[in-house]
Amino acid sequence: MLNRSRQSGMSILGFIVIAIMVGFFVMCGLKLGPGYFEYLSVKEIVSKVARNHDPREENISDIKRRIANLFNTNQIYALQPEEVEVFREKGMTYIDANYELRVNIMGRIDAVWRFDDLKYVAGRNTVN
C-alpha cells in the first residue's frame, strides 16, 4: 500500500491577504518615514540653537533668525519658523518648537504625529 500524505500550505487567498497587509504597512512606512526624519532634523536644529545661545550677545530676534536660516538650509517644511515660539520668562529664554504633523495615508485616513518634546531652555543643554 502506498501511504500518500496530503500537502498543506498557504492557499492563494491566504497569500493575497498577507500580501495586502504587508503592502499596507510598507506604504505607511514610506509615507510616515520622511515626517519622522524631518522631526529628527528639527530636534537637532533647535537643540543646537538652544545650546549655542549666549544671552549676553543674542536676543530673541537673533534666535528666530538663526532658526529660520537653519530650517531653510535643511529644507524643513513641516514646521514654519514663525511657528517656533521664543520667549523669556523669569530671566530664562525658552524655545518651544512643539508641533503636530498630519499625513494622509489614503482617502480619508490620516495619521497624526504629535511631537511635544521640543521645548528647550536656551543656553543650557537640558530639556524643559
Side-chain angles (χ1 to χ4, degrees), residues 73-85:
T73 302
N74 291 295
Q75 297 180 352
I76 304 296
Y77 300 117
L79 179 65
Q80 298 301 315
E82 300 85 31
E83 295 173 350
V84 177
E85 293 181 35

Side-chain angles (χ1 to χ4, degrees), residues 29-61:
L30 289 174
K31 289 198 174 211
L32 295 174
Y36 184 73
F37 289 120
E38 193 166 8
Y39 154 73
L40 292 176
S41 296
V42 168
K43 186 174 184 176
E44 181 182 341
I45 289 168
V46 174
S47 67
K48 179 178 156 185
V49 169
R51 232 183 1 258
N52 296 333
H53 173 66
D54 185 9
R56 294 171 295 205
E57 296 178 8
E58 295 178 326
N59 57 19
I60 290 176
S61 62

